[in-house]
Amino acid sequence: MKNRAQAIASYKYFSKKEGNQHIAGQYALEKILDIIEINQPSKILEVGLGIGSISYTILNSSYYKNEDLIYHGTEANEFCLNALKSNLGTHYDRVSISSDLHSMNSEILYDLIIIDGSDESITEIKGKISPHGVIFIEGHRGAQTETMKEVFPNHKHTLCISDFKNSKDGPFSSDSWSGGGQLIYVNPTTKQLIHFLKERFNTSFKYRVSRRIKR
């Protein structure tokens, strides 16, 4: 429940910001924190920082408030770049920003890569992820998901969905399910495989049971 409470707080915070129509859904934020709790990444790359809903949630979480973390992100939109400075507050200096993946001057291999925007050089992720890294794709980005599955032939992939509707206080319709995302383990360890199977079961259960009850 700790992760859900942190996700709710971040979602409410960004729901009041200009540009909120492109923030991550509450469930996506919660799921990212769940993935962090399981995998404990020390190096994170976010493709498409936007106005900062994901990066703020991570950097402001109990996992990293007082911990060293390498956090890199890509963003080229001028409005978003300006918004990041104010939205991230004291966390802004903890984020290294490049315009896109191709322009990143880094040899770091990231433990967690979050895709929350478009990038023509998306396949370059293959050379930027650690051997047992994790990819989370926010929302239903079908083309990007299929690209990642092709790039990593040993992957395990599952859709992560919620069984609750969007808050009436947020920018998205309260008649729609809170948005989730795609979890991809590129070369899973035993621990990661167990987590993948658990998430796949949860998704199946929500589709077949809980969403039907809560319609």
Side-chain angles (χ1 to χ4, degrees):
M1 295 304 293
K2 172 184 66 176
N3 292 342
R4 176 158 296 186
Q6 292 177 352
I8 290 172
S10 291
Y11 184 70
K12 287 182 177 179
Y13 173 67
F14 278 88
S15 290
K16 300 174 183 178
K17 300 291 183 180
E18 186 178 0
N20 62 6
Q21 65 270 27
H22 299 301
I23 64 173
Q26 179 192 313
Y27 187 69
L29 297 176
E30 178 184 342
K31 188 49 54 182
I32 288 169
L33 293 178
D34 289 345
I35 292 167
I36 286 172
E37 184 175 14
I38 293 292
N39 293 278
Q40 300 180 351
S42 61
K43 304 174 186 68
I44 298 176
L45 168 63
E46 182 182 349
V47 181
L49 288 163
I51 65 170
S53 60
I54 292 176
S55 52
Y56 176 88
T57 301
I58 293 173
L59 294 168
N60 199 51
S61 73
S62 57
Y63 301 110
Y64 296 117
K65 272 190 174 180
N66 300 307
E67 297 290 336
D68 291 333
L69 170 69
I70 294 175
Y71 201 108
H72 288 181
T74 66
E75 186 54 63
N77 181 275
E78 185 176 355
F79 170 80
C80 291
L81 290 171
N82 290 330
L84 284 167
K85 293 180 181 180
S86 59
N87 292 346
L88 295 184
T90 57
H91 299 305
Y92 179 75
D93 290 336
R94 300 174 67 188
V95 183
S96 176
I97 304 174
S98 300
S99 59
D100 55 31
L101 288 169
H102 187 67
S103 65
M104 286 182 61
N105 184 21
S106 172
E107 297 182 356
I108 294 171
L109 296 181
Y110 299 93
D111 307 309
L112 170 61
I113 296 181
I114 301 164
I115 301 176
D116 190 28
S118 60
D119 192 311
E120 293 182 358
S121 50
I122 195 74
T123 56
E124 293 190 23
I125 281 177
K126 185 174 184 179
K128 299 182 183 299
I129 195 165
S130 60
H132 299 290
V134 192
I135 296 172
F136 184 79
I137 303 175
E138 192 274 335
H140 298 277
R141 302 172 188 272
Q144 291 172 320
T145 301
E146 291 306 312
T147 298
M148 291 298 96
K149 289 164 68 175
E150 291 174 5
V151 168
F152 300 102
N154 296 324
H155 75 273
K156 292 295 182 182
H157 160 255
T158 184
L159 176 65
C160 300
I161 64 169
S162 71
D163 58 0
F164 59 88
K165 303 290 182 72
N166 291 310
S167 167
K168 293 182 179 180
D169 298 326
F172 309 124
S173 172
S174 58
D175 292 327
S176 300
W177 302 107
S178 180
Q182 319 283 332
L183 171 63
I184 300 175
Y185 281 116
V186 301
N187 185 32
T189 63
T190 300
K191 180 180 179 181
Q192 290 175 334
L193 184 60
I194 291 171
H195 181 231
F196 153 76
L197 292 172
K198 178 182 176 181
E199 289 298 331
R200 174 166 280 191
F201 172 82
N202 286 341
T203 295
S204 177
F205 181 82
K206 289 172 184 176
Y207 267 132
R208 297 182 180 186
V209 182
S210 54
R211 276 195 173 189
R212 293 184 179 184
I213 294 173
K214 297 179 180 181
R215 262 180 210 168

